[in-house]
Amino acid sequence: MTEDEFDAFYAAAFPRLTGQLSAFTGDREEAQDVVQEAFVRAWDRRGDFLADEAPEAWIRTVAMRLAVSRWRRARRWLELVRRTPPPGSMPGPDPDHTALVAALRQLPKAQRMVIVLHHLCDVSVEQIASDTGAPVGTVKARLYRGRAALAKHLTVGEADETGEADAPVRKESGRV
């Protein structure tokens, strides 16, 4: 079957096969997907279709098998979901984490990126410079300015009972 013959066959058979598979699957979009997939598979075998003498039957069979396979996969997934108990209630984010994320969002993108890479991902200044294409001095300046900005955003202005202001929120390693 030539490309032109295949195109003509596709144009004539696709609507008919889609209608048949819609009745089989109960879902027109699903039917269109499996018929289209069957035609893609037929494209690789278009040279053999003349000897076959029943290309539409072959495509219908492939499309029906694809639909059944999808249905079985969906059924297995549904069974798995039903067997898996729902997760217990998850605790909300830590207030310090929430404050850090909010403060990071207020930083310029370049500062935020180097702060996260260096302090949260433990990437060296030299590696950050290499990855971003920025000079080492620029990375250091961004870290300095970013830490200063974070300190302002993370310092609570209200004094506690002793009269001292709360310290900035810090990561366990001591770095922000």
Side-chain angles (χ1 to χ4, degrees):
M1 185 177 283
T2 66
E3 288 184 26
D4 291 336
E5 291 172 333
F6 189 88
D7 289 345
F9 168 63
Y10 175 85
F14 184 80
R16 187 172 40 252
L17 289 168
T18 300
Q20 294 166 2
L21 268 290
S22 291
F24 180 69
T25 64
D27 182 349
R28 183 155 184 84
E29 291 173 359
E30 178 74 12
Q32 289 173 338
D33 286 347
V34 295
V35 171
Q36 187 66 39
E37 177 66 25
F39 269 104
V40 168
R41 292 181 183 192
W43 176 257
D44 295 332
R45 295 175 175 85
R46 69 185 180 278
D48 301 331
F49 271 9
L50 285 179
D52 192 18
E53 296 296 327
E56 191 168 330
W58 186 89
I59 290 176
R60 183 183 312 104
T61 301
V62 170
M64 291 181 89
R65 288 178 181 166
L66 287 168
V68 169
S69 178
R70 286 182 176 193
W71 179 79
R72 285 180 181 152
R73 237 185 339 257
R75 189 179 72 190
R76 279 194 302 258
W77 180 82
L78 184 59
E79 289 171 1
L80 177 66
V81 168
R82 286 181 178 161
R83 278 188 263 141
T84 305
S89 63
M90 297 291 292
D94 180 78
D96 290 343
H97 176 78
T98 304
L100 177 62
V101 170
L104 283 169
R105 285 184 179 153
Q106 296 179 30
L107 296 180
K109 182 180 177 183
Q111 290 177 9
R112 181 173 57 239
M113 181 172 57
V114 297
I115 291 285
V116 169
L117 288 173
H118 186 67
H119 293 293
L120 300 178
C121 301
D122 292 324
V123 177
S124 70
V125 170
E126 293 77 18
Q127 185 63 44
I128 294 171
S130 172
D131 292 349
T132 61
V136 171
T138 301
V139 172
K140 289 180 179 180
R142 289 174 181 166
L143 280 170
Y144 175 79
R145 290 183 186 120
R147 284 191 290 250
L150 274 178
K152 288 179 186 174
H153 293 302
L154 294 175
T155 302
V156 179
E158 297 179 25
D160 63 9
E161 295 172 3
T162 62
E164 298 177 23
D166 291 338
V169 178
R170 299 192 178 270
K171 187 179 171 194
E172 290 181 17
S173 68
R175 294 186 286 179
V176 176

